[in-house]
């Protein structure tokens, strides 16, 4: 029996980077988390400790900071592409680069006369992207969001499901439907207008959630993905993960009170987790794109 080295990669995880653009006395803020992973000719370092082909992870951190100053930081997908190409094109031992960026929203604090440099952290939603680039010229851009918390207070049903001796859940024709959407969508190529595309995809997700009379969270998931693909031709596939944030009706009868879908107990766990992908029938295989 022989032992061999399997797939591997290394990099710098979660480099927090805030860039302030000073447009006179009006400031603009970008707050991101950058993670880089590199792979290629790494046999020697694993088998003998020869570091000649290793770009230190500390250097990768410094490159993120330096590039934010030299090249600016607007759309996170463009910045990820810049970093990934730099690693693959600039260092012969590196054959593949993966760059993941999360962006955290800040809103201007509204004050009399207009705010110039004061911000309040935005909602819990996080914008995301993952870029892959390799020496063969393959480039894949996956954009997305996570922690987008949404709720419908009616317009949701759940009945007609499988029943066995362990079933206690009662069917319902009127329930609260709540979830925290995590969505990732794959672009046809790397030439999209990423800011515009993100805004459109986010709008489609929210509108489809609000406008779909739901018979199941799976049905809602598909409707949301379908809306994005029908609206955004630059996107060929979308994957969604949607935990069911259960709202259980509280029994108030011991207190002589009725409860017509007004008072609920929200359980954080366990929860149902619904996952699925929606894609155009001509979508090409992305290979490594999603991980």
């Amino acid at each position: 029996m022989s032992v061999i080295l399997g797939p591997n990669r290394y990099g710098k995880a979660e480099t927090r980077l805030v860039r302030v653009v000073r447009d006179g006395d009006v400031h603009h803020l970008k707050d991101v988390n950058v993670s880089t992973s590199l792979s290629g000719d790494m046999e020697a370092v694993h088998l003998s400790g020869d570091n000649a082909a290793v770009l230190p992870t500390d250097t990768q951190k410094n490159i993120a900071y330096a590039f934010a100053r030299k090249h600016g930081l607007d759309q996170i997908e463009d910045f990820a592409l810049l970093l990934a190409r730099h690693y693959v094109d600039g260092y012969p031992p590196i054959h593949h680069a993966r760059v993941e960026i999360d962006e955290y929203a800040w809103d201007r604090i509204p004050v009399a006369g207009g705010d110039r440099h004061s911000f309040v952290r935005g909602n819990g939603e996080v914008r995301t992207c993952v870029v892959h680039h390799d020496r063969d010229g393959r480039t894949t851009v996956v954009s997305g969001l996570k922690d987008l918390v949404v709720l419908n207070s009616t317009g949701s049903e759940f009945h007609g499901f499988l029943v066995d001796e362990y079933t206690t859940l009662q069917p319902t024709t009127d329930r609260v439907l709540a979830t925290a959407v995590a969505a990732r969508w794959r672009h046809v190529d790397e030439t999209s207008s990423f800011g515009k595309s993100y805004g459109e995809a986010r709008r489609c997700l929210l509108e489809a959630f609000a406008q779909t009379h739901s018979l199941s969270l799976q049905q809602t998931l598909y409707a949301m993905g379908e809306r994005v693909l029908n609206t955004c031709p630059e996107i060929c596939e979308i994957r969604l993960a949607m935990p069911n944030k259960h709202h259980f009706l509280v029994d108030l009868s011991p207190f002589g009170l009725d409860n017509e879908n007004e008072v609920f107990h929200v359980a954080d766990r366990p929860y149902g987790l619904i996952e699925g992908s929606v894609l155009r029938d001509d979508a090409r295989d992305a290979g490594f794109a999603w991980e």
Side-chain angles (χ1 to χ4, degrees), residues 84-218:
R85 288 166 176 159
H86 171 77
Y87 290 125
V88 173
D89 298 344
Y91 304 91
I94 299 172
H95 298 170
H96 181 92
R98 176 190 185 275
V99 181
E100 179 178 7
I101 302 180
D102 290 347
E103 180 179 354
Y104 310 101
W106 290 86
D107 300 322
R108 294 189 182 279
I109 297 176
V111 294
D115 172 68
R116 292 179 172 85
H117 54 259
S118 299
F119 302 85
V120 59
R121 186 67 174 262
N123 57 33
E125 170 193 345
V126 178
R127 180 175 172 178
T128 67
C129 81
V130 176
V131 165
H132 288 266
H133 179 65
D134 68 19
R135 179 152 298 176
D136 296 331
R138 293 186 302 173
T139 303
T140 307
V141 181
V142 175
S143 301
L145 54 81
K146 59 185 178 182
D147 301 327
L148 180 64
V149 180
V150 292
L151 181 149
N152 282 333
S153 56
T154 191
S156 176
E157 308 179 28
F158 191 56
H159 49 80
F161 45 81
L162 282 171
V163 175
D164 65 10
E165 65 270 29
Y166 302 108
T167 301
T168 59
L169 183 69
Q170 296 300 305
T172 179
T173 58
D174 189 7
R175 67 171 180 170
V176 170
L177 182 66
T179 186
V181 180
R184 297 183 294 165
W185 50 88
R186 178 160 57 96
H187 293 267
V188 173
D189 55 37
E190 64 270 26
T191 63
S192 295
S193 176
F194 295 111
K196 179 181 178 182
S197 179
Y198 178 83
E200 281 291 281
R202 182 183 185 278
R203 178 183 62 82
C204 288
L205 291 170
L206 291 175
E207 289 182 355
F209 179 83
Q211 295 172 351
T212 300
H213 185 95
S214 179
L215 299 179
S216 67
L217 189 50
Q218 287 91 334

Side-chain angles (χ1 to χ4, degrees), residues 11-19 30-37 57 59-68 72-73 75-77 79-84 87 98-104 126-127 129-131:
K12 198 69 165 181
E14 300 195 26
T15 298
R16 284 303 304 273
L17 192 167
V18 173
R19 186 171 193 267
K30 276 284 190 178
D31 182 358
V32 299
N33 205 28
V34 181
S35 296
T36 52
S37 295
T57 65
T59 303
Q60 297 175 44
K61 173 202 69 180
N62 293 338
I63 288 171
Y65 290 136
F67 274 37
L73 175 52
Q75 302 302 318
I76 56 175
E77 292 88 350
F79 191 67
L81 282 165
L82 180 71
L83 290 173
Y87 290 125
R98 176 190 185 275
V99 181
E100 179 178 7
I101 302 180
D102 290 347
E103 180 179 354
Y104 310 101
V126 178
R127 180 175 172 178
C129 81
V130 176
V131 165

Side-chain angles (χ1 to χ4, degrees), residues 176 246-267:
V176 170
H246 298 296
H247 287 60
F248 297 110
L249 200 64
V250 178
D251 180 9
L252 298 179
S253 60
F255 318 115
L257 299 171
D258 61 8
N259 189 8
E260 297 297 327
N261 277 349
E262 293 186 9
V263 180
F264 299 87
H265 164 66
V266 183

